[in-house]
């Protein structure tokens, strides 16, 4: 794996290298160029003075040249050569006169051009200036002066070695600091990765402790929040599965018990037999209802939702009423309707039916004989409100938030006796929220409960009416 550590360190090393090379080369090159220019100026000036003095001589002779040089007090040069117009050496303070000059620069100077050369090699600046000597516009010879400067070269070499030492120290420091930061960073990333592995392995209770206040610490916080949610979801899932299996197990156990009794009892009376079989039927019905409710819930949990359509709430309310009425009649309970026309919301008729029927069924189921239920549908402009109010046993305040939880029943015994699984209101809650509505529970006066569901009213462009 190409770790961040190597990548970052490699990057820093490359940058550092470039920086140090520039730092080592640039000042020296500029200093050298500066010395070259200075030398050129100084030597050209000197050469012109000598050459114009020499041009005063009628004839270039070794003695004449020497005289002029001593008159001008020329010193500090390594070598001074004067050549005649045909290139013969007339004066050479470092060699023999009379030979032909071999230096091509002297030939160039005899052609009328001044040449200056300077180089920095080893430990000295070696510079040479070659200039024509002319008398009344006619070239009569060439002057060559050269110089070797070790003093300036020494200064430059000294600076160079100091820069090298400083660069070395800077490089070591920079690498050390970078290493510290990178190691710290990768250590913390490793902690994060380890935590992720732990959580991925199923330990949802694991929490990450990250020092600092930077982005990595923020990442750690977000990771903890995520794990917490995962933990919660996982707990909910477990609870749901155990509740659901319990709800399915109980009626199945009853069915087994009842059927065993029928089988073991050979001389069972037809009336008793009928009763047992009818009980088995009831339990089977309960199972069927529970499984249907679970399927409804899982459908509502799914992200894929049926496209909402304009639903006339009054129409659905009438359908639900038709089914709830026999239950109400059985318990001598009156359902009073107050249904406004033109209450249209964007939902599905099926979900709307579940909402109204479950609320009506509860209002009947948890009512007292002789009680009543009000079903009101009204258009409040921006919203459509569905109110189901009963005169029943009511829901204690502390239970009101919980009744929407799956399998939650206020009075287990009573709810089970009336065939309840505690899923009805969860379905109502999910269906309401899927279609952008809200639901509230309150106490009815003088007694009972009141459920108010509110949906945004469908806009005209949605309904197409
Ligand atoms: N109108 C009401 N008056 C009093 N208590 C109610 C009312 N509606 C619901 N409850 C309480 O809330 C609980 C949850 O209701 P919910 O409809 O979810 O389940 P259920 O009626 O027990 O079963 P089912 O899944 O068959 O509807 C009920 O068990 C009951 O205790
Ligand atoms: Mg119910």
């Amino acid at each position: 794996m190409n770790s961040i550590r190597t990548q970052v360190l490699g990057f820093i090393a490359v940058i550092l290298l470039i920086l140090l090379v520039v730092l080592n080369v640039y000042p020296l090159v500029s200093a050298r160029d500066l010395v070259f220019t200075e030398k050129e100026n100084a030597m050209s000036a000197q050469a012109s003075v000598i050459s114009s003095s020499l041009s005063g001589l009628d004839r270039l002779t070794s003695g004449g040249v020497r005289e002029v040089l001593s008159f001008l007090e020329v010193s500090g040069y390594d070598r001074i050569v004067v050549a005649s117009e045909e290139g013969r050496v007339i004066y050479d303070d470092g060699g023999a006169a009379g030979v032909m000059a071999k230096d091509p620069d002297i030939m160039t100077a005899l052609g009328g051009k001044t040449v200056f050369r300077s180089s920095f090699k080893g430990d000295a600046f070696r510079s040479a200036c070659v200039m024509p000597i002319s008398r009344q516009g006619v070239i009569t010879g060439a002057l060559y002066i050269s110089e070797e400067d070790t003093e300036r070269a020494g200064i430059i070499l000294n600076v160079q070695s100091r820069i090298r030492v400083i660069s070395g120290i800077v490089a070591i420091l920079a690498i050390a600091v970078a290493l510290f930061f990178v190691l710290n960073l990768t250590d913390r990333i490793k902690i994060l990765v380890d935590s992720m592995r732990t959580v991925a392995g199923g330990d949802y209770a694991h929490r990450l402790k990250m020092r600092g206040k930077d982005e990595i610490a923020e990442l750690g916080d977000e990771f903890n929040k995520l794990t917490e949610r995962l933990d919660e979801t996982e707990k909910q899932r477990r609870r749901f599965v155990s509740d659901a299996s319990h709800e399915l197990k109980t009626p199945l156990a009853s069915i087994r018990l009842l059927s065993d009794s029928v089988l073991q009892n050979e001389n069972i009376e037809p009336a008793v037999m009928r009763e047992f079989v009818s009980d088995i039927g009831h339990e089977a019905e309960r199972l069927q209802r529970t499984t249907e409710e679970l399927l409804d819930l899982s459908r509502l949990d799914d992200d894929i939702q049926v496209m909402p359509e304009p639903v006339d709430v009054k129409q659905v309310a009438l359908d639900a009423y038709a089914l709830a009425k026999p239950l109400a009649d059985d318990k001598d309970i009156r359902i009073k309707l107050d249904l406004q026309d033109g209450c249209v919301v964007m939902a599905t008729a099926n979900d709307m039916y579940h909402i109204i029927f479950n609320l009506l069924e509860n209002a009947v189921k948890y009512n007292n004989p002789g009680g009543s239920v009000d079903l009101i549908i009204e258009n409040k402009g921006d919203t459509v409100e569905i109110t189901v109010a009963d005169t029943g046993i009511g829901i204690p305040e502390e239970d009101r938030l919980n009744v929407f939880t799956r399998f939650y029943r206020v009075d287990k015994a009573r709810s089970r006796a009336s065939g309840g699984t505690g899923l009805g209101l969860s379905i109502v809650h999910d269906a309401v929220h899927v279609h952008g509505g809200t639901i509230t529970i309150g106490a009815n006066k003088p007694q009972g409960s009141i459920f108010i569901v509110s949906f945004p009213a469908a806009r005209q462009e949605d309904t197409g009416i």
Side-chain angles (χ1 to χ4, degrees):
M1 191 178 65
N2 211 352
S3 74
I4 291 192
R5 196 175 298 184
T6 24
Q7 285 178 46
V8 173
L9 281 182
F11 176 72
I12 289 174
V14 167
I15 295 278
L16 207 65
L17 197 76
I18 294 174
L19 212 72
L20 290 182
V21 165
V22 169
L23 211 72
N24 272 281
V25 168
Y26 181 73
L28 293 175
V29 169
S30 346
R32 213 180 53 196
D33 287 351
L34 217 67
V35 172
F36 286 164
T37 334
E38 194 200 301
K39 290 251 175 269
E40 180 168 8
N41 290 340
M43 283 177 80
S44 315
Q46 267 278 350
S48 325
V49 171
I50 302 171
S51 128
S52 61
S53 304
L54 288 175
S55 68
L57 294 175
D58 286 340
R59 237 169 55 81
L60 287 174
T61 57
S62 144
V65 172
R66 193 166 293 126
E67 230 166 83
V68 167
L69 290 179
S70 73
F71 174 73
L72 290 175
E73 293 181 345
V74 177
S75 68
Y77 292 106
D78 233 28
R79 197 164 174 196
I80 299 176
V81 177
V82 175
S84 70
E85 90 200 88
E86 28 337 320
R88 191 171 297 282
V89 174
I90 292 167
Y91 172 88
D92 185 350
D93 62 356
V99 295
M100 288 303 284
K102 284 189 213 95
D103 190 339
D105 287 343
I106 290 183
M107 293 304 135
T108 316
L110 286 173
K113 263 199 198 116
T114 303
V115 181
F116 176 79
R117 286 184 199 281
S118 190
S119 64
F120 178 51
K121 269 193 210 104
D123 51 1
F125 278 99
R126 284 176 232 287
S127 322
C129 183
V130 193
M131 195 174 264
I133 304 167
S134 56
R135 191 184 161 91
Q136 285 156 6
V138 181
I139 293 171
T140 56
L143 166 72
Y144 170 101
I145 51 177
S146 80
E147 180 212 74
E148 204 174 86
D149 183 347
T150 46
E151 196 185 325
R152 286 218 174 74
I155 294 173
I156 288 188
L157 288 174
N158 194 10
V159 169
Q160 188 172 28
S161 75
R162 269 189 213 171
I163 289 181
R164 245 180 234 151
V165 171
I166 293 173
S167 299
I169 295 173
V170 166
I172 291 170
L173 276 180
I175 293 281
V177 171
L179 203 67
F180 172 76
F181 277 111
V182 169
L183 287 185
N184 185 36
L185 183 80
T186 46
D187 270 0
R188 297 169 73 210
I189 291 180
K190 193 173 162 348
I191 294 176
L192 198 67
V193 171
D194 285 349
S195 283
M196 283 180 178
R197 290 217 178 97
T198 311
V199 172
D203 180 4
Y204 298 124
H206 175 84
R207 291 292 175 274
L208 173 63
K209 275 186 216 72
M210 190 64 91
R211 57 202 142 89
K213 275 198 167 65
D214 53 6
E215 284 86 346
I216 302 242
E218 218 170 286
L219 203 67
D221 280 350
E222 289 304 318
F223 173 73
N224 276 342
K225 279 188 205 149
L226 198 75
T227 318
E228 217 159 281
R229 283 196 53 185
L230 229 107
D231 195 15
E232 189 50 40
T233 316
E234 180 61 15
K235 276 185 192 142
Q236 262 177 20
R237 192 187 64 81
R238 291 217 179 111
R239 204 179 313 131
F240 182 76
V241 170
S242 91
D243 286 350
S245 33
H246 177 77
E247 289 305 323
L248 296 174
K249 212 169 65 185
T250 321
L252 278 174
S254 304
I255 290 175
R256 276 207 63 179
L257 206 73
L258 287 163
S259 55
D260 278 356
S261 317
V262 173
L263 285 176
Q264 277 160 18
N265 217 331
E266 280 175 14
N267 309 318
I268 193 163
E269 277 185 38
V272 179
M273 167 89 114
R274 283 191 72 79
E275 198 184 311
F276 275 25
V277 173
S278 136
D279 284 349
I280 291 178
H282 274 130
E283 293 297 334
E285 208 174 288
R286 229 175 105 78
L287 269 178
Q288 187 182 357
R289 187 183 158 119
T290 308
T291 42
E292 273 167 10
E293 284 179 329
L294 284 173
L295 285 175
D296 276 335
L297 275 174
S298 89
R299 182 181 56 79
L300 286 165
D301 273 348
D302 271 351
D303 283 339
I304 315 143
Q305 281 298 324
V306 196
M307 276 295 285
E309 57 197 14
V311 175
D312 182 356
V313 184
K314 179 179 178 177
Q315 202 49 54
V316 178
L318 284 172
D319 290 347
Y321 168 71
L323 249 96
K325 189 163 188 317
L327 304 173
D329 287 349
D330 257 7
K331 286 185 73 176
D332 191 20
I333 289 160
R334 208 156 69 87
I335 303 180
K336 295 182 278 179
L337 300 180
D338 178 2
L339 312 177
Q340 251 182 35
D341 282 317
C343 294
V344 182
V345 302
M346 295 305 290
T348 66
N350 189 35
D351 287 345
M352 191 55 75
Y353 173 79
H354 276 306
I355 295 167
I356 300 178
F357 179 77
N358 272 307
L359 290 178
L360 270 186
E361 188 196 33
N362 283 350
V364 170
K365 229 165 38 170
Y366 306 107
N367 214 322
N368 303 309
S372 69
V373 175
D374 279 295
L375 172 59
I376 306 160
I377 311 280
E378 52 186 330
N379 193 331
K380 297 220 151 178
D382 282 348
T383 55
V384 167
E385 241 177 52
I386 305 164
T387 308
V388 180
D390 64 62
T391 56
I393 57 171
I395 303 173
E397 189 141 16
E398 64 271 20
D399 289 308
R400 282 186 200 149
L401 273 179
N402 294 325
V403 290
F404 297 117
T405 310
R406 294 170 185 192
F407 298 111
Y408 188 86
R409 288 167 292 203
V410 176
D411 180 349
K412 282 232 173 224
R414 179 169 177 156
S415 171
R416 291 210 72 209
S418 48
T421 29
L423 288 174
L425 284 180
S426 323
I427 294 173
V428 171
H429 177 269
D430 289 3
V432 165
H433 282 95
V434 157
H435 298 296
T438 56
I439 181 164
T440 53
I441 315 178
N444 200 10
K445 280 187 192 127
Q447 60 163 0
S449 316
I450 180 162
F451 286 80
I452 301 172
V453 177
S454 175
F455 279 112
R459 291 168 306 163
Q460 255 180 7
E461 58 262 37
D462 291 330
T463 62
I465 301 167

